[in-house]
Amino acid sequence: MKKSIIICAAALCGILSCTQIDRDEEQTPPEIPELDDGSNINEENTPEISIEENGYDGLMAKDGDTVVPGDDIYWENRSFGTTVTVTYSGSSVTVTSSGRSVQSHIEGADAAIVLDGMGDVEVIASGSSEDGQLKIYGDSPVKLTLKGLNLTSAKSAAINVQNKSILYIHLAEGSDNSLCDARKQSDESYYPEGIVSGDEKRNGAIYCKGSIVLSGKGILKLTGQKKHGISVKSSFTLRPGATLAVNDVADNCIKAEGINILGGYIWAKTSADAGKCLSSDADVNIKGGMMKLYTSGGSIYEEDEKDTSSPAGIKADGNMMVSGGEMLCVSTGEGGKGLNIDGDLTIDSGIINIATSGGKYVYNAALDLDSSPKGIKADGKIIINGGRLNIQVKGRSDGSEGLESKSKITVNDGNISVYAYDDAINVGGDNPEGIEINGGRVLAFAENNDGIDSNGKLWVNGGLVITSGSGAPEEGFDCDFSQNFIVKGGILIGTGGAAIAPSSASTQRSVTYNGVSARTGEFFVITGPDGNPILRYKLPRTISRMAVFFSSEDIRSGETYTVWSGGSLSGNSVNWNGWFEDGTYTAGTELGTFTSNSLNTTVGQSGGPGGPGGPGRPGGGPGW
C-alpha cells in the first residue's frame, strides 16, 4: 500500500461520535489500479494517475481533420499565388521563388524574406542548420510548410515572423521537424530600415507577431532556451492531425493571446519556476485531441505583480471551455496546478486527468503570500455538464485541494473523482455562492479535511454523490450553516468524523448514523421494511467512531430500516467506488434499526463541531 495518497474505493460523507479520534487510527485508502481509458463505469476504484515523465513518448496524433468552408483558420480556403522555397544546408541557405520574385536577405544560414504587398504566399522550408534562422516580414497571411526542417538559431528565434496577419504552419505529411532558439539573443542579420533588435520581440523558438494555426500530419519538436517554445502575439490554434512536442523551455511551452485546441496531440514539459505548458492571456478552448502536460518547477514571487505565481498545465487569464478531447496534467513542483483559470471553467465533455504532488510555496506567511497546490482552481464559476474528470492532489499541506472555485461549482452531469490532502471539492472566496449538484457521479475523498466543503450554500438535487472527510471534526459534506445544506434529490453517501444535518428546506429524507466502528472495505448496508437493501456500500477508511450520512428517495416517512455491518455481496453488476447498485446481500452484524420520522433521522451523537451544542446541528439521539 502506498503511503502518500491515492483516491479511495468507496463512498463518503458523515458525522462522528463524541470522542475525537487520533489521525493515526485512519488508514490510507487502498491503492488504485493504473489509469484506464475512462470507458468503464463499473470499476471498483477510481484509477490512479501516474506522475512519471520520461520525455516525449513518441506518440503521434491519430485524429483526422475536416475543413470548414470559409473559415479563416483553414489555409485550404485561401489561394497562395506565390511559392517561396527555403533550403538549409549546414552553414548556408538558398531561397528561390515561383510566381513572383521575392525580396530576400541571406547571411550564412540566416534568411530574411520580405513579403510586403505580395498577397498570400506559401513558404516551404526544409533542410538542417545548427546556426540558421528564418525571418518573415509581410502584411498578408503566410502558409509556412515545414518539410523536414531541423533548425537551431545562434542569435534568436529559429522562426521569427514579424507579420501581424495569420501564420499557417503546415507540417508536411510524415515530416519530422525540430526548432531551437538561442539561449542568449544577439543582433540578427537583417532588420528593415529604421528597425533595431530592441524593436522586435522574439522570445520563443517560434515567434509570431500575429496568430498561428498549426496543421498537417507531421511532427514539430521545439526547445525554448531563451523563454517560450511558441510565443504568439495573438491566438494559437492546433488542428486535428498535427503533433507538437515541446521537450523543455525556459518559461512557457506555448504563450498566446487565446488558445484553441481543435484536435491533434501535444506533449509538453517545462521545468521552469512558475512555468506553464499552455499559457493564455485570454480564453482557452479545448474541443478535441490529446494533451500530456508536465510541469516540475516551483512557484515564485513576482515583484512587479506583488504576488506569487505558480506552475500550471494550463493557465487561462480569461475563461476556459472544454468540449472534447483528452488531457493529462502533471505538476510536481511547489504550489503547482493542473488547470488555473482566472475566469469561468465550463466542461461539457472529454477526459481530464490531473495529478499534483508538490507542497505549499510560502514567500511571506505574515503577508499571506503563498501558493497551494490545486488540481483545478478557478476564480470564477466551474460548470460541469459532462465528461470524465479524475483529480489527485498529493501534496501534504494545507490548501492542497482538488477542485476549487472562488464563486460557484455546478455539476449537471459527468463522472467526477477527486482526491486531495485538504478539501477535495471546495468553494471559498470573499462572497461564494456555493456548490450545486444536479446529476452525474461525484466522488470526493479528503485525506485530512472535508470531502465537499462549501463556504456558501450546498444544494444536491440529483446524481450519485460519494464524499469522505477524515476524522473528527471533518465531514463528508460541510457548509458553514446547516440551513445552507439543501437536499432535494440524488443518492448521497458521506463518511467522516462528523456530519452536518440538511436544512428544513430539503425535500428528500436522510439519516445520520453516528458511532460506526468502521474498517476499510467492510460493507455498510441499510435494508428497508421488505428486507431489500437501499444502500450497499463498502467503507472507504478505518475510523473508530465514524459518522455515516445517507440520503435517498428510498427513505420514506414512517418506515423502519435496519443497519448492517460486514457481510458479503454477490451477483452485482454495477460497482462505482464502493457503491453497489444491485446484488444479493448476505447479512453480517445488525447494528440496529431506525424509523424515518423526520427529514433527517439522527442516530447517536456526533463528536464534531456540529454535535450537541455545536453550531448548525441538532442534538443527537440515543446511541446504540
Side-chain angles (χ1 to χ4, degrees), residues 260-603:
N260 305 293
I261 308 300
L262 308 183
Y265 178 50
I266 297 178
W267 187 99
K269 172 192 171 185
T270 174
S271 57
D273 287 341
K276 287 83 174 170
C277 290
L278 276 62
S279 179
S280 173
D281 296 331
D283 294 344
V284 173
N285 189 3
I286 312 293
K287 290 188 174 182
M290 176 183 288
M291 293 186 288
K292 293 182 181 179
L293 312 176
Y294 300 89
T295 68
S296 58
S299 299
I300 60 173
Y301 177 73
E302 292 189 339
E303 194 68 46
D304 292 343
E305 301 293 332
K306 303 299 180 185
D307 202 358
T308 59
S309 178
S310 58
I314 299 178
K315 174 65 169 70
D317 290 353
N319 301 318
M320 180 171 174
M321 292 71 68
V322 181
S323 57
E326 181 175 354
M327 73 174 75
L328 168 66
C329 298
V330 175
S331 178
T332 58
E334 284 188 337
K337 279 84 175 169
L339 306 180
N340 190 355
I341 301 101
D342 289 352
D344 296 339
L345 168 65
T346 302
I347 301 173
D348 291 333
S349 63
I351 299 173
I352 301 174
N353 293 294
I354 295 173
T356 70
S357 59
K360 184 175 184 177
Y361 168 77
V362 179
Y363 175 77
N364 188 318
L367 297 177
D368 199 28
L369 293 172
D370 53 46
S371 179
S372 296
K374 311 282 183 184
I376 294 178
K377 171 187 173 293
D379 290 342
K381 296 178 180 180
I382 297 175
I383 302 169
I384 303 174
N385 298 316
R388 183 181 177 92
L389 179 61
N390 183 11
I391 299 174
Q392 296 166 21
V393 178
K394 302 185 176 185
R396 300 174 67 89
S397 63
D398 66 290
S400 295
E401 295 171 328
L403 182 65
E404 181 192 67
S405 165
K406 298 298 184 184
S407 177
K408 183 180 180 181
I409 295 175
T410 301
V411 179
N412 294 316
D413 203 352
N415 192 321
I416 302 161
S417 300
V418 184
Y419 169 90
Y421 179 78
D422 205 324
D423 297 328
I425 299 177
N426 174 263
V427 168
D430 295 332
N431 189 27
E433 290 185 55
I435 299 171
E436 180 177 354
I437 301 173
N438 299 311
R441 291 184 174 184
V442 178
L443 170 67
F445 186 99
E447 184 181 347
N448 200 49
N449 211 326
D450 300 314
I452 292 179
D453 182 6
S454 174
N455 292 324
K457 291 187 175 182
L458 175 56
W459 305 269
V460 180
N461 303 312
L464 170 62
V465 186
I466 301 174
T467 174
S468 182
S470 57
E474 315 307 345
E475 304 168 336
F477 295 92
D478 181 37
C479 58
D480 288 349
F481 301 100
S482 63
Q483 61 264 32
N484 288 338
F485 181 23
I486 301 171
V487 180
K488 294 188 175 182
I491 299 172
L492 293 77
I493 309 169
T495 58
I500 188 169
S503 162
S504 59
S506 301
T507 57
Q508 180 169 283
R509 291 176 173 262
S510 59
V511 58
T512 300
Y513 194 104
N514 297 302
V516 176
S517 179
R519 294 289 179 268
T520 302
E522 277 190 345
F523 275 104
F524 183 87
V525 175
I526 299 176
T527 57
D530 59 1
N532 292 321
I534 63 170
L535 173 65
R536 308 167 186 86
Y537 178 58
K538 274 189 177 179
L539 295 172
R541 64 206 312 165
T542 296
I543 299 180
S544 63
R545 295 181 62 81
M546 176 183 280
V548 179
F549 173 86
F550 173 62
S551 179
S552 164
E553 64 179 8
D554 292 329
I555 301 178
R556 297 184 175 89
S557 175
E559 294 190 348
T560 299
Y561 300 85
T562 305
V563 181
W564 305 85
S565 173
S568 62
L569 193 69
S570 62
N572 63 287
S573 61
V574 176
N575 167 19
W576 193 76
N577 289 291
W579 172 81
F580 294 81
E581 185 176 47
D582 52 15
T584 301
Y585 176 62
T586 301
T589 302
E590 181 178 333
L591 298 182
T593 62
F594 68 90
T595 302
S596 180
N597 290 323
S598 60
L599 272 173
N600 181 66
T601 301
T602 301
V603 180

